[in-house]
Amino acid sequence: MPDQLPEVELEDRGSKGRYLLRGPDGAEAEMTFTKVGEHQIIIDHTEVPDAFRGQGAGLRLVTRAVEDARAAGKKIIPLCPFANAQFRRHQEWADVLKQ
C-alpha cells in the first residue's frame, strides 16, 4: 500500500537533483530533474524498480515535486513520459504546469 512507502527524499545537486524512495532492500525509486533558471524545473526521468511496482511510488515522487514547486512558486516541464501522463490525469496540478 502507498502509505507503507518510506518518505520521499530530495537530493539537490545545484542545477540537477532527484526525488527518491529508498527500500529496505536497497532498491531506489527515483525521479530526476533539471533546474531551468530560478523558476522552472524539467522532470527528466522516472524509474521505479520491481520492488516498488504497484505501490504508487512513481505518483508519490511526482506529487512531491508538485508540492515543492507550488511552495517555491516554480513551474514544471514534465518531459518524462510518466510525469507527463500524471499531469494529464491530475488537472489540480495545472497551476505548476509550464504551458
Side-chain angles (χ1 to χ4, degrees):
M1 303 299 295
D3 56 339
Q4 295 173 338
L5 289 171
E7 282 296 310
V8 175
E9 298 176 42
L10 170 62
E11 289 182 357
D12 190 337
R13 298 182 177 144
S15 65
K16 294 190 174 286
R18 70 181 184 147
Y19 289 94
L20 70 149
L21 291 165
R22 295 180 203 264
D25 61 352
E28 291 183 351
E30 73 171 359
M31 184 187 72
T32 62
F33 64 88
T34 302
K35 295 177 187 174
V36 181
E38 294 292 315
H39 304 290
Q40 296 179 61
I41 67 165
I42 296 170
I43 295 177
D44 307 303
H45 178 72
T46 304
E47 185 169 338
V48 178
D50 289 341
F52 286 104
R53 296 226 188 262
Q55 301 177 55
L59 177 58
R60 287 260 314 268
L61 295 169
V62 179
T63 300
R64 170 70 189 274
V66 168
E67 292 168 353
D68 288 355
R70 190 174 280 142
K74 294 183 179 184
K75 297 287 186 181
I76 296 175
I77 302 166
L79 290 185
C80 163
F82 176 80
N84 192 301
Q86 293 304 314
F87 269 88
R88 287 194 307 272
R89 288 185 186 110
H90 294 273
Q91 296 301 310
E92 69 273 18
W93 296 347
D95 61 313
V96 297
L97 178 63
K98 175 69 176 166
Q99 299 293 333

